[in-house]
Amino acid sequence: MREHMKWCDSVTALLHSVNPSRASAKERLKAIVILAHMVRFHKAVGKRNFIKGHHDEVLKRVGSSPYEVISMCMDTFLVNDGNRGYSQTKQLRDKRVVYLLILYILVASGGGGESDDVRVGSINSFMNECEIPLRDAMMFLTQAGFKVKKGVDGTLSVSLNAPVEFPPPIRPKRGS
């Protein structure tokens, strides 16, 4: 398999963990494939603030994933600056990271199963492969209603219990 087509190890591990005899296997496989394409998009775009070119040029530059998936990612996580190209703001970059984290957690926990609870023992390998800082992941997941616990060894375990309890909003500090 060519290097640019290779999936990251944590997503490949999810793929191998699917039990084909379960009723939810088809939906879980679909979610894993979407996650793999989103990770590829995330790595291709990275922290660049601007990608020059019109829609099809950017599509070729950004990835080898299906047209529909990359087009959806571009529409959701980038801003079209007309004929100049596409740009991304910090808010859109953060939004992309939140989507990736939540999708990974739902798939890794076997989401869509019988239980209302979502639990993942460690998301560190996924965070490292996607170059998501620990502090950002903890903040984003806490704001999304997840319970995040950092172990002594730095391992992040994540859970989401029904009913979801959101923390109070973070308000900007007033200037002195």
Side-chain angles (χ1 to χ4, degrees):
M1 189 178 274
R2 294 182 299 197
E3 186 60 32
H4 72 281
M5 297 292 285
K6 187 176 184 295
W7 287 9
C8 67
D9 293 337
S10 54
V11 175
T12 304
L14 289 177
L15 186 63
H16 293 298
S17 72
V18 175
N19 181 353
S21 62
R22 289 192 60 193
S24 62
K26 185 177 180 180
E27 288 77 22
R28 193 161 179 229
L29 287 172
K30 286 180 188 177
I32 291 170
V33 170
I34 294 290
L35 178 63
H37 292 308
M38 284 182 66
V39 167
R40 189 176 299 150
F41 177 81
H42 174 74
K43 288 181 176 183
V45 172
K47 295 185 179 185
R48 289 189 280 177
N49 290 330
F50 187 76
I51 303 170
K52 187 176 179 181
H54 61 78
H55 190 266
D56 291 337
E57 288 174 345
V58 174
L59 274 171
K60 288 177 188 173
R61 241 181 265 144
V62 166
S64 57
S65 296
Y67 176 86
E68 294 81 9
V69 175
I70 295 296
S71 187
M72 182 272 310
C73 287
M74 286 175 59
D75 293 342
T76 307
F77 305 118
L78 298 175
V79 176
N80 187 347
D81 288 343
N83 292 333
R84 290 186 34 217
Y86 285 81
S87 62
Q88 81 176 321
T89 62
K90 181 176 178 348
Q91 290 82 11
L92 289 173
R93 192 176 306 122
D94 292 348
K95 178 180 177 180
R96 185 178 70 232
V97 169
V98 170
Y99 273 56
L100 283 169
L101 288 169
I102 292 175
L103 184 56
Y104 176 79
I105 291 167
L106 290 175
V107 173
S109 68
E114 302 79 34
S115 173
D116 288 336
D117 296 340
V118 175
R119 293 187 194 322
V120 178
S122 173
I123 62 170
N124 289 51
S125 62
F126 181 73
M127 288 175 15
N128 293 338
E129 289 175 331
C130 292
E131 299 177 2
I132 300 171
L134 179 78
R135 182 175 178 223
D136 289 352
M138 289 177 69
M139 180 184 65
F140 294 149
L141 291 172
T142 302
Q143 289 300 309
F146 287 85
K147 303 282 189 238
V148 181
K149 293 181 184 164
K150 183 178 175 185
V152 177
D153 58 351
T155 303
L156 275 189
S157 63
V158 181
S159 64
L160 181 67
N161 301 323
V164 177
E165 295 176 24
F166 293 100
I170 297 175
R171 306 217 185 264
K173 295 179 183 176
R174 294 181 183 222
S176 310

